[in-house]
Amino acid sequence: MDAANLAMKSSSSSFFSKTPSLFSSPKPISRAPSSVYTLPSTFRPLVKCIQAPFLPSPLNPDSKKPLNSPFTCSAVTSFPSQSHPNVHSDAAAAASSAKLKLLISEFQSLIEPIDRVKRLLHYASLLPSMNGSVKTTENRVPGCTAQVWLHVSLDEEGKMKFLVDSDSEITKGFCACLVWLLDGAAPDEVLALKTEDLNALNAVGLNGKGSASRVNTWHNVLVSMQKRTRAAVAERDGKPRSELFPSLVVTVDGIQPKGSYAEAQARFLFPDEPRVQELVNALKEKKIGVVAHFYMDPEVQGVLTAAQKFWPHIHISDSLVMADSAVNMAKSGCQFITVLGVDFMSENVRAILDQAGFPEVGVYRMSDEHIGCSLAEAASSPSYMDYLTTASVSSPSLHVVYINTSLETKAYSHELVPTITCTSSNVVQTILQAFAEVPHLKVWYGPDTYMGSNIMELFSQMSVMTDEEISEIHPLHNRMSIKSLLPRLHYFQDGTCIVHHLFGHEVVGKINEMYSDAFLTAHFEVPGEMFSLAMEAKKRGMGVVGSTQNILDFIKQRVQEALARNVDEHLQFVLGTESGMITSIVATVRKLLGSADPSSGGAKVSVEIVFPVSSESVTRTSTSSSLDQTFGEMRDSLKINVIPGVASGEGCSLHGGCASCPYMKMNSLSSLLRVCHSLPHNKAELSAYEAGRFSLLTPKGKQIADIGCEPILHMRHFQATKRLPEQLINQIL
């Protein structure tokens, strides 16, 4: 292929994803007897002389250097971190930084993109071949479009040795650069390099325009190098690694639980058939629809998921579409709707059914007691009303309230400050659109403190992005507008989801140690540390931050991509939200794995779902049990008897319980069956279960149901049109 044709192909993503070595054949490499090979001398950094890496190159037309001399000595210095394994991390970072600057300088000297491609291909040819026995699924680097294998070892002198290979020559070129930077370095030096340090290489166009997947290769290979470096050092020092979180491994052949908690989850994925049939018969006979939240108890979700095959009016989702599903069920002839969730969800279903013209359809909860929510309770507190009172005297103001609040809260709020509801999946767009449409607007978000803090952090990150990057998030904003809105965004300081609170410092530390190269999912409600970790993973294509539906969609997409690659692969996802989601995730993954083409070559894809949470996750088993002070105070203020976790209090481990909402677990299978069997003739027995209509009035004398629905309808208008409704803007102004 001539240079002109190669230049044409270099502009396409397919060329970069898999290109054979065109310019030089790999030279024979003398291999050590072990499975780890010694790099050729051209890749060994000199201590007395920094090799201006790869300058000048035999692929550079102006170069007069012979093929076997790809490096030139340009300076005299030493790398203390390579000479002394215990060197301070600052010195280690300085050593990597010096070599990285040389690498950047080299590629900056290549003006034409095709010359950079040629250079990468040449460095790919210099990497030693990897024995097929080392190219295992365990050695695969997750998150790379091409297949990348990485073998890491620690030599007798305490230096790190890296062996990398890929089925893409361009990717091998990237890996060669990383190997040149880090092979033979002390562990401190490997760990000192940050993924953002590689951004300068992207800035000089090394990866080509629009090549996010190739940027991800840089970052994901580095993250895997660092994770395996930590493991090698721990093994050398005889330090036991942290206990793994429980997990479920899903394959086309079945499900393998790891840990007793996971075993309990797995049992409920295959429910008792007579129980399923009993529920289906009752639903069909009584014309009952079921709307349930993703966070349901796994036993209930297992039965509901199995029953969906026989009765179409069962819907499991996040809170956003539960009421919409109930309306569709009413239109299809359902006479009753059972709501498996917390009370604000049944309130919303009742109110929306009335608004849609179905007041005769009965709506039933699953308990005769209050099914609360820590966020909903926070929004009904005096401190939240004080927060809104402050907003009401600051004009123009908009209150963006999380949908996980009561109808009463929405009504009272709306009379104080113009209000629109939001979900974790649309909150960012809602706030940005409001700032774009109303000049000098002040936005007051609540009640979730973690989500408010995360939104503020996200906008702070956006304030240093380019205008082009910001416009991809919202077309009406730029760096100046983002900076101007930051001081006008407020969030409530005292509202927390008791489940997502568990994803704090301890969990983040363990994820960094044990799961840094896994796919990371996080709900928008998690604490800032978990949010930042997930955002970092998201930047390199390895994470998602959003709603429960966003998390499910992300997992689904990654599994589909793995199946399309048609190679043996193990995908690992850290589930940064309530563990009740596992039923829907497993059902989705099993369906995808089962739909794979059996004639595609027999490639095997396995999917592991990891449940993380801190050791604060404990259970109160008697009045004499002690709880963590923070959670004890929270429990007392919320008047609940249980905190997610296991009786022995060891938190989430191979033998412990995980993030689980005690309120959601009040929706039992026995309660659902009791309600179904009692309808329609024994309604009197179910009076405490019925989601009643609000007969109370707001302070201004209006119906709570009517005013409370307005913020929800404003959100629906925004979702349909991507603009705030004119009525809401008039209220703001």
Side-chain angles (χ1 to χ4, degrees):
M1 182 181 296
D2 57 30
N5 289 333
L6 180 59
M8 292 176 61
K9 294 211 70 167
S10 68
S11 64
S12 69
S13 60
S14 60
F15 172 74
F16 283 91
S17 64
K18 188 171 184 180
T19 307
S21 179
L22 302 173
F23 300 94
S24 62
S25 301
K27 297 181 180 181
I29 303 299
S30 58
R31 296 173 180 157
S34 66
S35 61
V36 180
Y37 311 128
T38 302
L39 284 173
S41 58
T42 49
F43 275 93
R44 296 176 194 155
L46 298 178
V47 175
K48 297 297 184 182
C49 173
I50 295 182
Q51 300 164 330
F54 326 131
L55 273 179
S57 167
L59 300 180
N60 184 337
D62 298 327
S63 173
K64 297 181 180 180
K65 295 286 181 180
L67 265 175
N68 61 0
S69 185
F71 306 124
T72 183
C73 190
S74 63
V76 176
T77 187
S78 63
F79 292 145
S81 66
Q82 293 189 16
S83 301
H84 308 287
N86 296 321
V87 71
H88 191 275
S89 60
D90 289 344
S96 295
S97 177
K99 297 175 73 177
L100 186 59
K101 287 178 181 178
L102 292 174
L103 192 62
I104 294 168
S105 297
E106 184 226 351
F107 280 99
Q108 282 178 331
S109 71
L110 301 172
I111 306 302
E112 297 298 326
I114 186 60
D115 291 331
R116 299 182 191 126
V117 173
K118 291 177 180 179
R119 191 63 54 89
L120 284 171
L121 290 172
H122 177 63
Y123 301 146
S125 73
L126 297 177
L127 274 178
S129 299
M130 179 182 277
N131 191 294
S133 63
V134 187
K135 293 184 178 180
T136 63
T137 303
E138 292 75 18
N139 280 340
R140 282 281 303 278
V141 175
C144 299
T145 302
Q147 292 191 84
V148 181
W149 297 271
L150 170 66
H151 188 283
V152 178
S153 62
L154 193 61
D155 68 15
E156 295 178 355
E157 297 179 359
K159 307 292 180 64
M160 299 308 305
K161 306 302 296 181
F162 299 102
L163 185 65
V164 189
D165 203 352
S166 174
D167 61 355
S168 162
E169 293 299 313
I170 287 290
T171 299
K172 284 179 69 174
F174 296 153
C175 293
C177 295
L178 286 173
V179 168
W180 183 83
L181 285 171
L182 298 174
D183 190 78
D188 281 348
E189 185 176 351
V190 176
L191 299 177
L193 190 64
K194 298 179 176 63
T195 55
E196 53 264 32
D197 295 338
L198 302 177
N199 290 342
L201 283 169
N202 305 327
V204 301
L206 179 56
N207 289 285
K209 185 177 180 180
S211 54
S213 64
R214 294 188 293 279
V215 173
N216 293 343
T217 296
W218 280 110
H219 295 173
N220 293 334
V221 173
L222 175 59
V223 167
S224 287
M225 283 178 161
Q226 293 173 330
K227 175 186 174 180
R228 300 179 198 189
T229 293
R230 284 190 289 267
V233 171
E235 182 179 359
R236 178 197 65 185
D237 297 342
K239 294 180 179 178
R241 302 202 72 193
S242 297
E243 189 178 21
L244 292 170
F245 288 128
S247 65
L248 283 176
V249 180
V250 186
T251 66
V252 70
D253 299 320
I255 299 171
Q256 177 191 355
K258 296 182 178 180
S260 57
Y261 177 83
E263 290 171 1
Q265 296 274 345
R267 281 197 297 271
F268 295 131
L269 296 172
F270 304 96
D272 184 54
E273 291 187 9
R275 297 286 272 179
V276 174
Q277 197 58 53
E278 179 186 0
L279 177 62
V280 170
N281 292 341
L283 296 176
K284 286 184 176 180
E285 178 187 351
K286 312 292 181 64
K287 296 183 179 179
I288 300 172
V290 180
V291 291
H293 195 272
F294 279 131
Y295 292 169
M296 282 301 94
D297 184 89
E299 179 184 15
V300 179
Q301 284 208 53
V303 171
L304 290 177
T305 301
Q308 283 177 318
K309 301 173 184 177
F310 309 101
W311 180 241
H313 306 303
I314 298 173
H315 187 81
I316 305 171
S317 68
D318 58 18
S319 57
L320 174 62
V321 295
M322 288 174 69
D324 290 338
S325 300
V327 171
N328 291 333
M329 292 173 188
K331 290 178 179 178
S332 299
C334 288
Q335 298 178 4
F336 306 98
I337 303 294
T338 52
V339 181
L340 281 73
V342 296
D343 282 347
F344 74 77
M345 297 175 184
S346 56
E347 290 174 2
N348 287 345
V349 169
R350 174 71 278 165
I352 295 299
L353 281 172
D354 290 345
Q355 290 276 340
F358 296 99
E360 75 285 355
V361 174
V363 178
Y364 288 87
R365 309 179 307 119
M366 292 298 105
S367 176
D368 56 0
E369 298 180 9
H370 173 59
I371 309 177
C373 167
S374 58
L375 287 178
E377 301 290 345
S380 62
S381 66
S383 60
Y384 198 76
M385 290 301 108
D386 292 342
Y387 171 70
L388 292 181
T389 300
T390 302
S392 68
V393 296
S394 182
S395 182
S397 283
L398 171 67
H399 175 217
V400 179
V401 65
Y402 196 24
I403 198 169
N404 292 13
T405 50
S406 70
L407 206 63
E408 197 171 11
T409 293
K410 294 180 179 75
Y412 290 163
S413 300
H414 197 34
E415 284 203 334
L416 272 174
V417 188
T419 298
I420 183 172
T421 60
C422 71
T423 69
S424 49
S425 60
N426 65 24
V427 59
V428 171
Q429 292 299 321
T430 299
I431 292 175
L432 288 176
Q433 184 64 28
F435 276 123
E437 289 195 48
V438 183
H440 312 298
L441 178 69
K442 301 175 184 67
V443 170
W444 306 76
Y445 169 79
D448 192 306
T449 302
Y450 287 139
M451 190 183 294
S453 176
N454 293 338
I455 293 168
M456 186 71 81
E457 172 61 24
L458 176 62
F459 290 166
S460 297
Q461 292 181 21
M462 289 177 62
S463 69
V464 296
M465 293 180 181
T466 66
D467 288 348
E468 291 75 14
E469 290 172 331
I470 294 171
S471 67
E472 291 179 2
I473 299 173
H474 196 287
L476 299 181
H477 281 283
N478 53 38
R479 185 185 295 184
M480 183 177 297
S481 69
I482 296 297
K483 288 182 177 179
S484 70
L485 67 81
L486 283 172
R488 293 182 281 120
L489 174 62
H490 310 271
Y491 63 92
F492 185 57
Q493 299 290 323
D494 196 23
T496 304
C497 167
I498 61 175
V499 172
H500 291 107
H501 173 77
L502 298 173
F503 295 91
H505 175 74
E506 182 183 342
V507 165
V508 168
K510 194 166 180 178
I511 291 174
N512 270 326
E513 178 189 358
M514 307 292 289
Y515 301 97
S516 59
D517 60 351
F519 291 102
L520 181 57
T521 73
H523 198 278
F524 229 136
E525 296 177 24
V526 297
E529 293 166 301
M530 184 73 170
F531 172 80
S532 297
L533 193 66
M535 285 296 292
E536 188 278 330
K538 183 177 185 294
K539 290 177 182 177
R540 52 190 176 88
M542 293 293 291
V544 62
V545 178
S547 68
T548 47
Q549 187 62 53
N550 295 148
I551 290 172
L552 184 61
D553 290 342
F554 175 81
I555 294 174
K556 180 179 179 180
Q557 180 183 355
R558 293 298 178 268
V559 174
Q560 289 173 325
E561 290 170 353
L563 291 172
R565 285 192 288 271
N566 194 31
V567 295
D568 290 354
E569 196 161 359
H570 179 74
L571 309 181
Q572 190 177 58
F573 296 89
V574 176
L575 184 60
T577 189
E578 221 271 2
S579 60
M581 270 205 72
I582 188 61
T583 309
S584 295
I585 292 172
V586 170
T588 299
V589 169
R590 293 191 74 202
K591 184 177 181 181
L592 289 173
L593 297 181
S595 64
D597 185 358
S599 63
S600 59
K604 295 182 179 180
V605 174
S606 60
V607 178
E608 183 175 9
I609 310 298
V610 179
F611 307 97
V613 85
S614 74
S615 57
E616 288 179 326
S617 176
V618 297
T619 299
R620 180 173 184 172
T621 56
S622 69
T623 55
S624 61
S625 297
S626 62
L627 283 168
D628 174 88
Q629 181 178 355
T630 302
F631 271 85
E633 294 171 355
M634 184 181 296
R635 181 202 70 236
D636 294 338
S637 66
L638 297 174
K639 295 181 174 59
I640 59 175
N641 297 320
V642 123
I643 294 293
V646 291
S648 58
E650 72 269 28
C652 193
S653 66
L654 274 174
H655 309 291
C658 281
S660 179
C661 177
Y663 296 117
M664 286 291 190
K665 300 312 177 273
M666 294 173 69
N667 295 268
S668 66
L669 180 60
S670 59
S671 293
L672 176 59
L673 289 170
R674 178 187 175 187
V675 169
C676 291
H677 288 316
S678 298
L679 291 173
H681 305 298
N682 298 325
K683 290 184 179 180
E685 297 180 9
L686 298 177
S687 59
Y689 289 75
E690 188 168 7
R693 295 175 175 84
F694 281 94
S695 58
L696 299 176
L697 302 179
T698 67
K700 293 185 179 180
K702 297 182 179 180
Q703 290 285 337
I704 284 179
D706 293 338
I707 303 303
C709 277
E710 273 194 29
I712 301 174
L713 296 176
H714 289 333
M715 180 185 71
R716 294 181 186 280
H717 181 279
F718 169 72
Q719 287 186 293
T721 66
K722 305 305 178 185
R723 296 184 59 84
L724 300 187
E726 185 176 348
Q727 177 189 3
L728 178 60
I729 292 179
N730 291 336
Q731 291 168 346
I732 295 171
L733 298 176

